[in-house]
Amino acid sequence: MGGMDAMPDAHTPDLRPATLVVTAGRPPHEPDAPLNQPLVAASVYVAGGDREYGRYANPTWEAFEQALALLEGGGKALAFSSGMAAVTAVLDLVADGEAIVVPQHAYLGVLHQLASMEAKGRLSVRTVDITDTDQVLAALDDAAVLWLESPTNPALEVADIETLAAAAHGAGATCVVDNTFATPLRQRPLDLGADVVVHAATKYIAGHSDALIGAVVTRNEQAWLAIDERRRMAGAVPGALETWLALRGMRTLALRVDRAEANAQTLVQRLGEHPAVSTVRYPGFGGVVAIEFAGGVIAADLAVHSTRLWVHATSLGGVESTLERRRRWKGEATTIPEDLVRLSVGVEDVDDLWADLSAALDATGELPG
Ligand SMILES: *Cc1c(COP(=O)(O)O)cnc(C)c1O
């Protein structure tokens, strides 16, 4: 695929992901070249080249995009101003009146965006339980897009992407996977047959809760061109600083995901033995866990307000551990239990995390029954 000539790179996709996060998207190893891709603040370029204008191209975006595409196992990426901007650029490609199959539990912004498009008659939405492959297959009839998120937010359901992507193609539909929760270090949807991957790089990829940025990755040149055109026209382009921060953050992605996952696995085991916790949901990998409480919603609210180290905040994927009761958001699906608290496990010392969390859980046991 063309378009990457401006970013010569000796690194090949056969390097392992933990190496690629460090090596990909860097300037060539030449005397006096900076090791890191510089942050290029430019709204305009001298005419005669490929870039021309700051809404069309930026060398810092190109480095980030190249690195992310290599991490997803090859293809081409496009960076956006946020995860939702990336999602919206992809949804904009769906023709008027088409049907899109989506998980009943997914990132709320995506579900709200689809609901608002449906309310305007732009497209129709079919919600499914993505763990029920037969149900998804039945919903694909005449659909234009199968939109997957796996694991789902905040229910942490896991889809059989390979089977579902093949079924989508059989039905003439395009398969899009939001890979934000898994990260390309744990799941490469394009290798499993998906056509397009979207990311809220705001979360794990940037990883430090200081930048909003999104991205799309695809191996389909036509899809890439169409999404690039949407970005040029709609203008939801990332800032050079945010893109630089995301690339900087990506350098430690493998370390952060490994540590967050190890912490999560330890906590999942301890949470399962704590009497204040009635249910623990964990997909088996990654750093996001959801719990429900023996003491119900009052206990859940008390717990999220009792921690000192864990920050009561939405979002996920940063180095710091955060937690929130999801149904505090009015728009959250009513099939999500009222007392479900989502934990985004960070990279702190796991014993400090457990000491703080277990003290908050112990406090819920003192509630009058
Ligand atoms: C956060 C998130 C988004 C949206 O990303 P923003 O950068 O907040 O716009 C989309 N999908 C998932 C799964 C997310 O967690």
Side-chain angles (χ1 to χ4, degrees), residues 334 350 357:
T334 52
V350 72
L357 188 59

Side-chain angles (χ1 to χ4, degrees), residues 225-247:
L225 287 169
I227 297 163
D228 182 45
E229 183 180 53
R230 287 310 306 154
R231 183 175 70 172
R232 287 164 180 258
M233 287 197 210
V237 295
L241 173 62
E242 283 73 12
T243 315
W244 187 88
L245 284 169
L247 186 56

